[in-house]
Amino acid sequence: MTTCKAAWLVLRANMFQLLVYLLATGVMAAMLGIGIGLASDDDQTSAYEPPAASLAIIDRDSAGGHATGAALRSYLSSSADIVDIEDTTQAIQDAIATDYVDVIIIVPQGYTASFTKAARTQGTLPALSLASSGNSTDSTGSAAARMLTIQINGFLGSLKSAMLAGQDASLAQAAATVAKAHVESGQSVQVAAAVPSHAHGSSAAGSLTPSGRVFAATLATMLYPLMLNIAFIVIVIITAFNKPTTMRRVGVSAEPGHAIWAQVLLVCCGASAVVWLCCISVAIACSAVCQGGLAGIGWRPLLFSLIGMFVFSLTVSALGFLIGQCRVSTAAMNGIVNTVTLASAFLSGAWLPQWLMPSSLQAFARLLPGWWYVDGVYDAFGGQGSAMTGTPDMSRWAAATGLMALFALAFIVAGLAVSRFAARRK
């Protein structure tokens, strides 16, 4: 008990610095977790819609009964925003100069008759007058205008084929045939988005509330404050016990050395549990203010993710114990801790999704306990990104949690071995 009391006094002496670290890193992780969670909720669409261009149709072909203009308007209304402008030179120039429309189609007088003749004789189709804004710096708008031009040319080609197939069909009848074939073929301006291959679990979207996604993402980003603060606590305590004056007292103590280090580890684990509770409180507070509230998390994902987080906290305590036994300077230890923590946060998927990493980098990252912590958190929710269903993937979660426990055991054994080697050397 004397050893535990001494460790607590060492911890209390550095309490202010610890609280500053915990507050700063906790707030940063919370903000990042909210951003990641809400972003993954917004990306739940299974279809891609290209940008819609604005289009104006000026039909001057009164002799053809404005059939071409009506056909174009009917065909393009589903893929473009059709606006009306006056048929004057000034109005057309103003619309182009101010980017009021992306494309202006001008159907000249006699176009329907010329088109019909060319289609039935397999001649060259008469050209429509197309005007577009050439000074626009908006790449999205220009891309939409180019796509719209392709659709216009494709429609005219299909219209020619339809009129060639039915020699007695008028342009309006051929346009109706093309539109019907277009609908029956199932073509759409929407392109199905492929589900990322990384997302294990069900791909059903929308089964997890925004609050659940924010909670999972916040727990994942809590890797950084967990590692930094717990490692700091453990190293401060271990460094104090490794001082020459303390070691001399330990050496003359009637209590065995392994019992003393067991008590030190117990205090370190207790402090880790406090940091664990603080990080949990922040994650719960972040999810509580999102849509769905705490009820949207689900008790099973909540339970399994918190268990995995607690095991990771103990793993970090064991890692800090190993680093502390190296008996280097305090500045060197802080450098080691910051380097390991930043590398773990980046490589483990806390800040960058795991599936975005190259396969070679993933193979290296799997050697770190942080990878399995992040993987275990998302496994508790059934997957990552849009694949989070709220139903835990028990086999993957158990494997990730078990590996973290093995890491903790390996760190403790290595720390005790380093401590014994350093004692014998002295």
Side-chain angles (χ1 to χ4, degrees):
M1 295 302 295
T2 303
T3 303
C4 292
K5 183 178 179 180
W8 162 246
L9 292 176
V10 172
L11 183 60
R12 191 176 67 176
N14 296 272
M15 187 65 70
F16 177 75
Q17 186 178 1
L18 170 63
L19 291 177
V20 172
Y21 270 39
L22 184 59
L23 179 62
T25 56
V27 171
M28 181 192 71
M31 295 176 63
L32 186 60
I34 291 175
I36 294 174
L38 295 180
S40 65
D41 181 63
D42 292 338
D43 291 340
Q44 303 248 356
T45 178
S46 59
Y48 163 72
E49 284 191 44
S54 55
L55 169 69
I57 300 175
I58 298 177
D59 190 355
R60 298 171 178 171
D61 186 20
S62 57
H66 303 289
T68 303
L72 288 170
R73 185 179 297 271
S74 175
Y75 186 84
L76 299 173
S77 60
S78 61
S79 58
D81 297 327
I82 299 180
V83 298
D84 295 325
I85 61 174
E86 295 181 10
D87 186 9
T88 62
T89 302
Q90 184 66 38
I92 294 174
Q93 291 177 350
D94 289 345
I96 294 176
T98 60
D99 290 335
Y100 179 67
V101 291
D102 295 311
V103 177
I104 298 177
I105 304 176
I106 301 176
V107 183
Q109 185 69 257
Y111 183 85
T112 300
S114 300
F115 185 92
T116 302
K117 180 179 179 181
R120 289 174 177 171
T121 60
Q122 301 188 36
T124 302
L125 295 178
L128 289 171
S129 298
L130 298 179
S132 61
S133 178
N135 62 346
S136 176
T137 59
D138 185 1
S139 60
T140 302
S142 60
R146 288 193 294 269
M147 183 178 294
L148 188 57
T149 303
I150 294 173
Q151 290 178 346
I152 293 171
N153 294 331
F155 171 68
L156 295 178
S158 299
L159 192 60
K160 176 184 176 180
S161 300
M163 295 189 71
L164 184 62
Q167 288 290 333
D168 297 331
S170 64
L171 188 143
Q173 293 172 336
T177 302
V178 172
K180 181 179 179 181
H182 180 75
V183 173
E184 291 179 350
S185 66
Q187 298 178 9
S188 175
V189 295
Q190 293 185 346
V191 181
V195 178
S197 59
H198 74 281
H200 51 267
S202 172
S203 60
S207 56
L208 188 61
T209 62
S211 62
R213 296 181 178 277
V214 168
F215 184 76
T218 305
L219 284 189
T221 57
M222 282 296 168
L223 177 144
Y224 184 72
L226 276 173
M227 291 195 68
L228 190 63
N229 290 281
I230 293 176
F232 171 75
I233 291 172
V234 176
I235 288 176
V236 164
I237 296 175
I238 298 298
T239 302
F241 273 82
N242 281 333
K243 289 181 178 180
T245 54
T246 308
M247 292 301 298
R248 284 195 293 268
R249 293 182 181 181
V250 171
V252 299
S253 174
E255 195 169 7
H258 66 273
I260 293 176
W261 285 119
Q263 294 180 50
V264 172
L265 274 175
L266 181 62
V267 175
C268 293
C269 291
S272 302
V274 174
V275 176
W276 171 70
L277 289 174
C278 292
C279 292
I280 290 174
S281 301
V282 173
I284 290 178
C286 292
S287 60
V289 298
C290 297
Q291 181 183 356
L294 298 180
I297 301 175
W299 71 268
R300 292 182 63 197
L302 175 65
L303 176 62
F304 291 125
S305 60
L306 295 188
I307 291 175
M309 189 179 187
F310 182 74
V311 174
F312 180 71
S313 301
L314 299 181
T315 304
V316 177
S317 296
L319 176 61
F321 177 74
L322 172 59
I323 296 175
Q325 295 300 336
C326 296
R327 301 187 183 183
V328 295
S329 64
T330 304
M333 287 188 183
N334 287 334
I336 294 173
V337 169
N338 280 281
T339 301
V340 172
T341 302
L342 286 172
S344 297
F346 177 76
L347 294 176
S348 301
W351 297 343
L352 178 70
Q354 294 177 339
W355 55 274
L356 286 179
M357 300 181 188
S359 56
S360 57
L361 192 59
Q362 289 186 23
F364 174 76
R366 284 187 171 89
L367 301 177
L368 303 175
W371 172 279
W372 301 107
Y373 164 68
V374 174
D375 198 52
V377 167
Y378 286 118
D379 287 334
F381 287 85
Q384 294 191 32
S386 61
M388 283 193 288
T389 62
T391 302
D393 190 334
M394 291 301 302
S395 59
R396 295 179 63 94
W397 174 85
T401 306
L403 282 172
M404 286 191 291
L406 291 177
F407 271 110
L409 182 61
F411 290 148
I412 292 175
V413 172
L416 292 175
V418 171
S419 176
R420 176 166 295 187
F421 174 77
R424 288 181 177 179
R425 187 177 180 182
K426 289 187 177 182

